[in-house]
Amino acid sequence: MADQTVFTLSEVAQHKSKNDCWFVINGRVLNVTKFLELHPGGEEVLIESAGKDVTKEFENIGHSYAAKKLLIIYQVGVLGGYTFEETETEDDSIQEPRKKEMEAFVIKNDKMPTYTAIFELFVPLLVAGSYFAYKLVTRMEQML
């Protein structure tokens, strides 16, 4: 990071037009002028944020790994007074999250006892059968 140009926030604030759009994310000064038309959220979002430190907004949106990797491509310098952590290098700060194994729903792994499954099957059948038997008996009584 020692070879990067150091900017102040007031210098970054001068670059807030469609033809010259800069902002700061995580202490990185970014020139996103060429990225305006490519931004999935539209260029208006970037132009509104131009000339500011938009770290919180960037993090709140939950950008993808690919979006975080673009920070390095459009970086033109660093914000003065910002200290990078020792572990935060160009590659370390945007590591791709490890993918967790997806667990599928498997009935075999269900901890429900067998008698509960039988109970859930036969109780509704018993209730429905009782209802129809009652209806049949009351109808037969009315016919007599």
Side-chain angles (χ1 to χ4, degrees):
M1 285 286 156
D3 59 338
Q4 291 285 331
T5 307
V6 178
F7 294 96
T8 63
L9 199 52
S10 61
E11 289 175 318
V12 174
Q14 296 173 5
H15 303 272
K16 55 183 179 181
S17 69
K18 184 176 181 176
N19 298 325
D20 189 23
C21 184
W22 291 21
F23 49 75
V24 178
I25 297 175
N26 293 326
R28 302 176 192 279
V29 178
L30 308 172
N31 180 354
V32 293
T33 308
K34 294 179 182 177
F35 183 68
L36 290 176
E37 292 180 10
L38 302 174
H39 187 256
E43 63 184 28
E44 296 82 21
V45 176
L46 297 179
I47 294 170
E48 285 177 15
S49 302
K52 303 174 190 170
D53 185 345
V54 293
T55 303
K56 288 180 183 177
E57 291 85 348
F58 184 81
E59 296 299 328
N60 288 342
I61 297 295
H63 284 87
S64 66
Y65 170 70
K68 291 177 182 179
K69 206 161 184 168
L70 287 173
L71 296 180
I72 295 170
I73 294 171
Y74 291 102
Q75 182 174 352
V76 292
V78 295
L79 188 63
Y82 186 87
T83 55
F84 289 93
E85 296 175 13
E86 289 180 21
T87 59
E88 190 176 345
T89 63
E90 289 186 357
D91 295 328
D92 292 341
S93 64
I94 52 172
Q95 290 179 355
E96 184 171 13
R98 295 181 184 215
K99 293 183 172 59
K100 295 180 182 177
E101 285 187 31
M102 184 178 200
E103 293 182 16
F105 176 73
V106 179
I107 295 174
K108 180 170 86 172
N109 290 340
D110 194 6
K111 303 282 185 192
M112 183 184 295
T114 306
Y115 69 86
T116 306
I118 293 170
F119 185 74
E120 286 181 352
L121 174 67
F122 287 113
V123 168
L125 289 175
L126 183 63
V127 170
S130 299
Y131 172 77
F132 288 119
Y134 173 76
K135 284 295 207 179
L136 181 65
V137 169
T138 55
R139 183 173 288 166
M140 297 209 41
E141 286 177 0
Q142 289 176 357
M143 288 184 172
L144 294 176

